[in-house]
């Protein structure tokens, strides 16, 4: 079967994933996953805990090598990439980790400025200025010299977000941006993600099982189930989907095809 | 039972292979500029400051007890005068390097494994990768170079302290003649003994850094995993130190 050029399939496809497979031993996590993310859109991937959302996002940024399949970023398949090309590619990305993953041996400003320090010739003063500006964007002020251990969970997440946007990436990946936060803080983060998309024009993929957040930030929502994307659509389309699996998940019912299947 | 044994053997070689690969990669990254001097100095400080005090206490008591023991042994042949010689040779050739190596693996190796292990389970190592920074370059190379440079200093320090310990016991407790003791210490000491001590120091330094970082990188599953990785780092590096010590001695003397 000749492989289609992803550019032909989706001229504005920023991230195009085809036939992605990944297993850990007997545990088949991704089983032929397809997904298209358009330039400038915010795609939210929903799915149950353990369905492979984090694995998917880690494949996209090259932290996990898939067993099979292709991931085209700007039309280029990154799956066969070696370390050197991966690192070039990663400079276009920013990633927000579920628990922040801040470097706990460094103060906040060094965390946020880490990429700048490693990949630019900027002096510390200049880096500090940029860091200040990024921290302001995520609504933080005066925390530059604190250590990560001195921050609350929500603050950590925002600092991590500031670190993700410090290099002005084209693509942002959010791993559960709102999980574990109080509803107000969750909404602050949601607003922030929307503002980043509008201001910085980034393309983003967010994974979450927080439906409130999904409806709010998504241009489109994709549901991951049994290793595949079973449905993609706008929040309204998803809300009115006639797929029972999707309905069970978004309504959070314990009775339905997901739980019956197991 | 047989199957378990086979699995264990395969696991052992797999792990040994991974350690060798990490070592080779570390060497490659060490020679790829730029070197992060700040991190290297930080790690040297850490390896050194963490260790000098304990190595001091350890070495002085080793020297002291060794002087006591060899004195009571040598007395039987009326060879008390050679206590200084035997203490110095034993310290420089074996006791200084081996005990310091074990002590540093317990203190510094454990800390390295715990630190990298925590970074692994809290996704900080993934975060490094996403920031287009190679974890071997950023984390292992500074630790590797720091142990490589600090271990010889530490071991010379240990040798000297141990010899002083032996001297103190011999002269002030066993009433030996101070001048004779000093002379006996120097007369039989050869430059080669010191070289070999230093070679051991470097090898042990490499073992501690690479084994501990390897365990850190392969930590899985939360705080418990970090604990296990730390234990394994200390056990593996201690055993490797003792084994490689034998072979260095056998090959070079
Ligand atoms: N590095 C790994 N090694 C082995 N198994 C893994 C690894 N990473 C993930 N898995 C397995 O893959 C499956 C999917 O994990 P993943 O973290 O992607 O779930 P998730 O959808 O992100 O769940 P959550 O919403 O709870 O974060 C799980 O069964 C997990 O055990
Ligand atoms: Mg996850």
């Amino acid at each position: 079967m000749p492989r289609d050029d992803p550019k032909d399939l989706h001229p504005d496809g920023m991230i195009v994933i085809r036939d992605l497979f990944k297993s850990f031993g007997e545990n088949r996590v991704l089983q032929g996953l397809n997904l298209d993310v358009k330039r400038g859109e915010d795609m939210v991937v929903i799915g149950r805990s353990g369905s492979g959302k984090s694995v998917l996002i880690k494949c996209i940024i090259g932290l996990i090598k898939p067993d099979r399949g292709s991931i085209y970023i700007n039309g280029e398949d990154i799956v066969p990439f070696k370390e050197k090309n991966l690192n070039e590619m990663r400079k276009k990305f920013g990633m927000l980790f579920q628990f922040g993953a801040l470097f706990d041996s460094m103060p906040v400003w060094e965390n946020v400025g880490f990429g700048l320090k490693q990949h630019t010739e900027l002096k510390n003063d200049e880096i500090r200025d940029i860091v200040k500006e990024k921290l302001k964007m995520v609504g933080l002020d005066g925390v530059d010299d604190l250590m990560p251990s001195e921050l609350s969970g929500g603050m950590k997440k925002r600092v991590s977000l500031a670190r993700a946007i410090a290099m002005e990436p084209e693509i942002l990946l959010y791993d559960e941006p709102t999980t574990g936060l109080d509803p107000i803080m969750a909404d602050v983060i949601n607003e922030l993600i929307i503002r980043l998309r509008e201001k910085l024009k980034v393309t983003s993929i967010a994974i979450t099982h927080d439906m409130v957040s999904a409806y709010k930030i998504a241009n489109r929502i994709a549901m991951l189930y049994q290793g595949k994307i079973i449905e993609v659509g706008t929040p309204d389309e998803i809300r009115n989907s006639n797929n029972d699996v999707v309905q069970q998940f978004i309504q959070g019912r314990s009775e339905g095809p997901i739980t019956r299947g197991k | 039972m047989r199957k378990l044994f086979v699995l264990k053997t395969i696991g052992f070689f797999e792990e040994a292979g991974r350690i060798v690969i990490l070592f080779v990669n570390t060497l490659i990254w060490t020679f790829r500029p730029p070197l992060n001097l700040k991190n290297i100095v930080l790690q040297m400080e850490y390896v050194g400051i963490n260790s000098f005090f304990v190595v001091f206490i350890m070495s002085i008591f080793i020297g002291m007890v060794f002087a006591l023991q060899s004195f009571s042994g040598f007395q039987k042949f009326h060879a008390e005068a050679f206590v200084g010689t035997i203490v110095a040779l034993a310290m420089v050739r074996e006791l200084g390097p081996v005990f310091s190596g074990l002590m540093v693996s317990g203190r510094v190796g454990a800390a390295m494994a715990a630190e990298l292990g925590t970074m692994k389970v809290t996704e900080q190592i993934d975060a490094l990768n996403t920031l287009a920074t190679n974890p071997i370059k950023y984390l292992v190379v500074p630790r590797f170079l720091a142990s490589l440079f600090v271990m010889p200093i530490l071991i010379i320090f240990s040798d000297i302290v141990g010899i002083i310990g032996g001297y103190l016991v011999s002269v002030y407790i066993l009433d030996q003649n101070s001048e004779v003791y000093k002379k006996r210490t120097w007369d039989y000491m050869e430059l080669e003994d010191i070289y070999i001590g230093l070679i051991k120091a470097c090898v042990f330094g490499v073992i501690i850094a690479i084994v501990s970082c390897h365990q850190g990188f392969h930590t899985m599953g939360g705080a418990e995993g970090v604990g296990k990785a730390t234990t394994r780092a200390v056990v593996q590096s201690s055993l490797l130190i003792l084994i490689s010590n034998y072979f260095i001695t056998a090959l070079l003397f």
Side-chain angles (χ1 to χ4, degrees), chain A residues 175-233:
Chain A
D175 191 342
E176 319 228 358
T178 55
T179 324
L181 301 182
D182 73 65
I184 296 169
M185 186 53 70
D187 203 53
V188 171
I189 299 267
N190 288 338
E191 291 289 344
L192 214 69
I193 291 174
I194 295 170
R195 220 172 47 229
L196 285 174
R197 181 177 71 227
E198 284 166 357
K199 252 195 185 162
L200 305 179
K201 304 273 179 257
V202 294
T203 307
S204 51
I205 300 182
I207 56 181
T208 187
H209 31 102
D210 171 0
M211 287 313 296
V212 177
S213 163
Y215 287 139
K216 180 148 191 184
I217 63 179
N219 296 113
R220 289 194 299 156
I221 296 177
M223 167 111 191
L224 174 60
Y225 181 64
Q226 293 184 337
K228 292 193 176 101
I229 299 292
I230 54 162
E231 184 134 337
V232 187

Side-chain angles (χ1 to χ4, degrees), chain A residues 24 27 29 48-55 64 98 176 209:
Chain A
F24 296 99
N27 183 5
V29 180
R48 295 189 73 192
S49 197
S51 60
K53 303 184 298 295
S54 294
V55 171
I64 293 179
Q98 191 165 347
E176 319 228 358
H209 31 102

Side-chain angles (χ1 to χ4, degrees), chain A residues 58 61 63 83 87 90-91 93 95 97-98 101-104 106 110 114 118-119 163, chain B residues 29 36 38 115 118-119 122-135 138:
Chain A
K58 284 179 181 170
I61 197 166
L63 291 173
E83 162 100 19
N87 274 343
R90 281 169 180 153
K91 288 179 190 166
F93 277 84
M95 175 155 175
F97 285 85
Q98 191 165 347
L102 295 177
F103 303 125
D104 44 30
M106 299 173 198
E110 281 186 38
F114 189 88
Q118 295 293 314
H119 304 300
R163 181 174 70 183
Chain B
W29 280 105
N36 187 339
K38 188 184 141 209
E115 190 184 356
T118 305
M119 290 185 75
T122 56
E123 295 184 313
Q124 291 177 55
I125 294 192
D126 282 345
L128 268 184
N129 273 317
T130 63
L131 292 163
T133 301
N134 182 290
Y138 189 78

Side-chain angles (χ1 to χ4, degrees), chain B residues 46 50 101-118 143 208-209 211-213 215-216 219 226-235 237-238:
Chain B
Y46 190 69
N50 240 336
L102 295 178
M103 192 59 103
V104 173
S105 90
R107 283 199 67 109
V108 180
M112 282 180 190
E115 190 184 356
L116 297 205
T118 305
R143 284 166 176 79
I208 291 167
V211 168
S212 308
C213 289
Q215 283 301 339
T219 303
V226 174
K228 280 185 186 153
T230 309
T231 310
R232 269 204 300 271
V234 175
V235 171
S237 50
S238 302

